[in-house]
Coordinates of all heavy atoms in Angstrom, one line a residue:
L231 N 21.3 -8.1 -4.1 CA 21.0 -8.2 -2.7 C 22.2 -8.7 -1.9 O 22.5 -8.2 -0.8 CB 19.8 -9.2 -2.5 CG 19.5 -9.7 -1.1 CD1 18.9 -8.5 -0.3 CD2 18.5 -10.8 -1.1
N232 N 22.8 -9.8 -2.3 CA 24.0 -10.3 -1.6 C 25.1 -9.3 -1.5 O 25.7 -9.2 -0.4 CB 24.5 -11.6 -2.3 CG 23.6 -12.8 -1.9 OD1 23.1 -12.9 -0.8 ND2 23.4 -13.7 -2.9
N233 N 25.4 -8.6 -2.5 CA 26.4 -7.6 -2.4 C 26.1 -6.5 -1.4 O 26.9 -6.0 -0.6 CB 26.6 -6.9 -3.8 CG 27.3 -7.8 -4.8 OD1 28.1 -8.7 -4.4 ND2 27.1 -7.6 -6.1
N234 N 24.8 -6.1 -1.3 CA 24.4 -5.2 -0.3 C 24.5 -5.7 1.1 O 25.0 -5.0 2.0 CB 22.9 -4.7 -0.6 CG 22.5 -3.5 0.2 OD1 23.3 -2.5 0.2 ND2 21.4 -3.5 0.8
V235 N 24.1 -6.9 1.3 CA 24.2 -7.6 2.6 C 25.6 -7.7 3.0 O 26.0 -7.4 4.2 CB 23.5 -8.9 2.6 CG1 23.8 -9.7 3.9 CG2 22.0 -8.8 2.5
L236 N 26.5 -8.0 2.1 CA 27.9 -8.2 2.4 C 28.5 -6.8 2.9 O 29.4 -6.8 3.8 CB 28.7 -8.7 1.2 CG 28.5 -10.1 0.9 CD1 29.2 -10.5 -0.5 CD2 29.1 -11.0 2.0
E237 N 28.1 -5.7 2.3 CA 28.6 -4.4 2.7 C 28.1 -4.1 4.1 O 28.9 -3.5 4.9 CB 28.2 -3.4 1.7 CG 28.9 -3.5 0.4 CD 29.2 -2.2 -0.3 OE1 29.1 -1.1 0.3 OE2 29.4 -2.2 -1.5
W238 N 26.9 -4.4 4.4 CA 26.4 -4.2 5.8 C 27.1 -5.0 6.8 O 27.5 -4.5 7.9 CB 24.9 -4.5 5.8 CG 23.9 -3.5 5.3 CD1 23.5 -3.3 4.0 CD2 23.3 -2.5 6.1 NE1 22.7 -2.2 4.0 CE2 22.5 -1.7 5.2 CE3 23.2 -2.2 7.5 CZ2 21.7 -0.7 5.7 CZ3 22.4 -1.1 7.9 CH2 21.7 -0.4 7.0
L239 N 27.4 -6.3 6.4 CA 28.0 -7.2 7.4 C 29.5 -6.9 7.6 O 30.1 -7.2 8.7 CB 27.8 -8.6 7.0 CG 26.4 -9.2 7.0 CD1 26.4 -10.6 6.4 CD2 25.9 -9.2 8.5
N240 N 30.2 -6.4 6.5 CA 31.6 -6.3 6.6 C 32.2 -4.9 6.6 O 33.5 -4.8 6.6 CB 32.2 -7.0 5.3 CG 32.0 -8.5 5.4 OD1 32.5 -9.2 6.3 ND2 31.1 -9.1 4.5
S241 N 31.4 -3.9 6.5 CA 32.0 -2.5 6.4 C 33.0 -2.2 7.4 O 32.9 -2.6 8.6 CB 30.9 -1.5 6.4 OG 30.3 -1.4 7.7
S242 N 34.1 -1.5 7.0 CA 35.2 -1.1 7.9 C 35.9 0.1 7.3 O 35.7 0.4 6.1 CB 36.1 -2.2 8.2 OG 36.8 -2.6 7.0
I243 N 36.7 0.7 8.0 CA 37.6 1.7 7.5 C 39.0 1.3 7.8 O 39.3 0.6 8.8 CB 37.3 3.1 8.0 CG1 37.5 3.2 9.5 CG2 35.9 3.6 7.6 CD1 37.3 4.6 10.1
I244 N 40.0 1.7 6.9 CA 41.4 1.4 7.1 C 42.1 2.7 7.2 O 42.1 3.4 6.2 CB 41.9 0.5 6.0 CG1 41.2 -0.8 6.0 CG2 43.4 0.2 6.3 CD1 41.6 -1.8 4.9
V245 N 42.7 3.0 8.3 CA 43.5 4.2 8.5 C 44.9 3.9 9.0 O 45.0 3.2 10.0 CB 42.8 5.2 9.5 CG1 43.6 6.5 9.6 CG2 41.3 5.5 9.0
N246 N 45.9 4.3 8.3 CA 47.3 4.0 8.6 C 47.4 2.5 8.8 O 48.0 2.0 9.8 CB 47.7 4.7 9.9 CG 47.9 6.2 9.6 OD1 47.8 6.7 8.5 ND2 48.3 6.9 10.7
D247 N 46.9 1.7 7.9 CA 47.0 0.2 7.9 C 46.3 -0.4 9.1 O 46.5 -1.6 9.3 CB 48.4 -0.2 7.8 CG 49.1 0.3 6.6 OD1 48.5 0.3 5.5 OD2 50.3 0.6 6.7
V248 N 45.4 0.3 9.8 CA 44.7 -0.3 10.9 C 43.2 -0.4 10.5 O 42.6 0.6 10.0 CB 44.8 0.6 12.2 CG1 44.0 0.0 13.3 CG2 46.3 0.7 12.6
V249 N 42.6 -1.6 10.7 CA 41.2 -1.8 10.3 C 40.3 -1.4 11.5 O 40.5 -1.9 12.6 CB 41.0 -3.2 9.9 CG1 39.5 -3.5 9.6 CG2 41.9 -3.6 8.7
I250 N 39.3 -0.6 11.2 CA 38.3 -0.3 12.3 C 37.0 -0.8 11.8 O 36.4 -0.3 10.8 CB 38.2 1.2 12.5 CG1 39.5 1.9 12.6 CG2 37.3 1.5 13.7 CD1 39.5 3.4 12.5
P251 N 36.4 -1.8 12.5 CA 35.1 -2.3 12.0 C 34.0 -1.3 12.3 O 33.9 -0.6 13.3 CB 34.9 -3.5 12.9 CG 36.1 -3.7 13.7 CD 36.9 -2.5 13.6
T252 N 33.1 -1.1 11.3 CA 32.0 -0.2 11.4 C 30.7 -1.0 11.0 O 29.7 -0.4 10.6 CB 32.1 1.0 10.5 OG1 32.2 0.6 9.1 CG2 33.3 1.8 10.9
N253 N 30.7 -2.3 11.1 CA 29.7 -3.1 10.5 C 28.7 -3.8 11.5 O 28.9 -3.7 12.7 CB 30.5 -4.2 9.7 CG 31.5 -5.0 10.5 OD1 31.1 -5.5 11.6 ND2 32.7 -5.0 10.1
V254 N 27.8 -4.4 10.9 CA 26.7 -5.1 11.6 C 27.3 -6.3 12.4 O 26.8 -6.5 13.5 CB 25.6 -5.5 10.7 CG1 24.5 -6.3 11.4 CG2 25.0 -4.3 10.0
A255 N 28.2 -7.0 11.8 CA 28.8 -8.1 12.5 C 29.4 -7.7 13.8 O 29.3 -8.3 14.9 CB 29.8 -8.8 11.7
Q256 N 30.1 -6.5 13.8 CA 30.7 -6.0 15.0 C 29.6 -5.6 16.0 O 29.8 -5.7 17.2 CB 31.6 -4.8 14.7 CG 32.4 -4.3 15.9 CD 33.3 -5.3 16.5 OE1 34.0 -6.0 15.7 NE2 33.4 -5.4 17.8
K257 N 28.5 -5.1 15.5 CA 27.4 -4.7 16.5 C 26.8 -5.9 17.2 O 26.5 -5.8 18.4 CB 26.3 -3.9 15.7 CG 26.6 -2.5 15.3 CD 25.4 -1.8 14.7 CE 25.7 -0.4 14.4 NZ 24.5 0.4 14.0
Y258 N 26.7 -7.0 16.5 CA 26.3 -8.2 17.2 C 27.3 -8.6 18.3 O 26.9 -9.0 19.4 CB 26.2 -9.4 16.2 CG 24.8 -9.5 15.5 CD1 24.7 -9.4 14.1 CD2 23.7 -9.7 16.3 CE1 23.5 -9.6 13.5 CE2 22.4 -9.8 15.6 CZ 22.4 -9.7 14.2 OH 21.1 -9.8 13.6
I259 N 28.6 -8.5 18.1 CA 29.6 -8.8 19.1 C 29.4 -7.8 20.2 O 29.4 -8.1 21.4 CB 31.0 -8.7 18.5 CG1 31.1 -9.8 17.4 CG2 32.0 -8.8 19.6 CD1 32.4 -9.7 16.6
D260 N 29.3 -6.5 19.9 CA 29.3 -5.4 20.9 C 28.0 -5.5 21.8 O 28.1 -5.2 23.0 CB 29.4 -4.1 20.3 CG 30.7 -3.8 19.7 OD1 31.7 -4.5 20.0 OD2 30.8 -2.8 18.8
C261 N 26.9 -6.0 21.2 CA 25.7 -6.0 22.0 C 25.8 -7.0 23.2 O 25.1 -6.9 24.2 CB 24.5 -6.2 21.2 SG 24.1 -7.9 20.7
L262 N 26.7 -8.0 23.0 CA 26.8 -9.0 24.1 C 27.4 -8.4 25.3 O 27.4 -9.0 26.4 CB 27.7 -10.2 23.6 CG 27.1 -11.0 22.5 CD1 28.2 -12.0 21.9 CD2 25.9 -11.8 23.0
D263 N 28.0 -7.2 25.2 CA 28.6 -6.5 26.4 C 27.6 -5.6 27.1 O 28.0 -5.1 28.1 CB 29.8 -5.6 25.9 CG 31.0 -6.5 25.5 OD1 31.1 -7.6 26.0 OD2 31.8 -5.9 24.8
A264 N 26.4 -5.5 26.6 CA 25.4 -4.7 27.3 C 25.3 -5.1 28.8 O 25.1 -6.3 29.0 CB 24.1 -4.7 26.6
P265 N 25.3 -4.2 29.8 CA 25.5 -4.6 31.2 C 24.2 -5.1 31.8 O 24.3 -5.7 32.9 CB 25.9 -3.3 31.8 CG 25.4 -2.2 31.0 CD 25.4 -2.8 29.6
N266 N 23.0 -4.9 31.3 CA 21.8 -5.4 31.9 C 20.7 -5.6 30.8 O 20.9 -5.1 29.7 CB 21.3 -4.4 33.0 CG 21.0 -3.0 32.4 OD1 20.1 -2.8 31.6 ND2 21.8 -2.0 32.9
Y267 N 19.7 -6.3 31.1 CA 18.7 -6.7 30.2 C 18.0 -5.4 29.6 O 17.7 -5.4 28.4 CB 17.7 -7.6 30.7 CG 16.5 -7.9 29.8 CD1 16.6 -8.7 28.7 CD2 15.3 -7.2 30.0 CE1 15.6 -8.9 27.8 CE2 14.2 -7.4 29.1 CZ 14.4 -8.2 28.0 OH 13.4 -8.4 27.1
T268 N 17.7 -4.5 30.4 CA 16.9 -3.3 30.0 C 17.6 -2.6 28.8 O 17.0 -2.3 27.8 CB 16.7 -2.3 31.1 OG1 16.1 -3.0 32.2 CG2 15.8 -1.1 30.7
V269 N 18.9 -2.3 28.9 CA 19.6 -1.6 27.9 C 20.0 -2.5 26.7 O 20.2 -2.0 25.6 CB 20.8 -0.8 28.4 CG1 20.4 0.2 29.4 CG2 21.9 -1.7 28.9
F270 N 20.2 -3.8 27.0 CA 20.4 -4.8 25.9 C 19.2 -4.9 25.0 O 19.3 -5.1 23.8 CB 20.8 -6.1 26.6 CG 20.8 -7.3 25.6 CD1 21.8 -7.5 24.7 CD2 19.7 -8.2 25.6 CE1 21.8 -8.6 23.8 CE2 19.7 -9.2 24.7 CZ 20.7 -9.4 23.8
S271 N 18.0 -4.8 25.6 CA 16.8 -5.2 24.9 C 16.3 -4.3 23.8 O 15.7 -4.7 22.9 CB 15.7 -5.4 25.9 OG 15.3 -4.2 26.5
N272 N 16.6 -3.0 23.9 CA 16.0 -2.1 22.9 C 16.7 -0.8 22.8 O 17.5 -0.4 23.6 CB 14.5 -1.8 23.4 CG 14.4 -0.9 24.6 OD1 14.2 0.3 24.4 ND2 14.6 -1.5 25.8
T273 N 16.4 -0.1 21.7 CA 17.1 1.2 21.3 C 16.7 2.3 22.2 O 17.5 3.2 22.5 CB 16.8 1.5 19.9 OG1 15.4 1.6 19.7 CG2 17.4 0.5 18.9
S274 N 15.5 2.4 22.7 CA 15.1 3.5 23.6 C 15.8 3.5 24.9 O 16.4 4.5 25.3 CB 13.6 3.4 23.9 OG 12.8 3.4 22.7
S275 N 15.9 2.4 25.5 CA 16.6 2.3 26.8 C 18.1 2.5 26.6 O 18.8 3.2 27.5 CB 16.4 0.9 27.5 OG 15.0 0.7 27.7
A276 N 18.7 2.0 25.6 CA 20.1 2.1 25.3 C 20.5 3.6 25.1 O 21.5 4.1 25.5 CB 20.5 1.3 24.1
A277 N 19.6 4.3 24.3 CA 19.9 5.7 24.1 C 19.9 6.5 25.4 O 20.7 7.4 25.6 CB 18.8 6.3 23.1
E278 N 19.0 6.2 26.3 CA 19.0 6.9 27.6 C 20.2 6.6 28.4 O 20.9 7.4 29.0 CB 17.7 6.5 28.4 CG 17.6 7.0 29.8 CD 17.4 8.5 29.9 OE1 17.1 9.1 28.8 OE2 17.5 9.1 31.0
W279 N 20.6 5.3 28.4 CA 21.8 4.9 29.1 C 23.0 5.5 28.6 O 23.9 6.0 29.4 CB 21.9 3.3 29.0 CG 23.0 2.7 29.8 CD1 24.3 2.5 29.4 CD2 22.9 2.2 31.1 NE1 25.0 1.9 30.4 CE2 24.2 1.7 31.4 CE3 21.9 2.1 32.0 CZ2 24.5 1.1 32.7 CZ3 22.2 1.5 33.3 CH2 23.5 1.0 33.6
N280 N 23.2 5.6 27.3 CA 24.4 6.2 26.7 C 24.4 7.7 27.0 O 25.5 8.3 27.3 CB 24.4 6.0 25.2 CG 24.8 4.5 24.8 OD1 25.5 3.9 25.6 ND2 24.2 4.0 23.7
G281 N 23.3 8.4 26.9 CA 23.3 9.8 27.2 C 23.5 10.1 28.7 O 24.1 11.1 29.0
D282 N 23.1 9.2 29.5 CA 23.3 9.3 31.0 C 24.7 9.1 31.4 O 25.0 9.6 32.5 CB 22.4 8.3 31.7 CG 21.3 8.9 32.5 OD1 21.2 10.1 32.4 OD2 20.6 8.2 33.2
R283 N 25.5 8.5 30.6 CA 26.9 8.2 31.1 C 27.7 9.5 31.1 O 28.8 9.5 31.7 CB 27.6 7.2 30.1 CG 27.0 5.8 30.0 CD 26.7 5.1 31.3 NE 25.4 5.4 31.8 CZ 24.9 5.1 33.0 NH1 25.7 4.6 33.9 NH2 23.7 5.4 33.3

Side-chain angles (χ1 to χ4, degrees):
L231 171 66
N232 281 327
N233 287 334
N234 193 45
V235 169
L236 286 173
E237 291 211 20
W238 279 85
L239 291 175
N240 293 295
S241 65
S242 63
I243 62 176
I244 301 175
V245 182
N246 287 0
D247 298 322
V248 179
V249 177
I250 314 170
T252 60
N253 52 57
V254 177
Q256 186 63 44
K257 285 188 175 185
Y258 272 122
I259 295 170
D260 290 343
C261 80
L262 294 171
D263 287 337
N266 61 66
Y267 173 78
T268 303
V269 302
F270 167 77
S271 66
N272 73 96
T273 52
S274 301
S275 300
E278 175 70 12
W279 184 273
N280 287 329
D282 244 4
R283 300 307 94 192

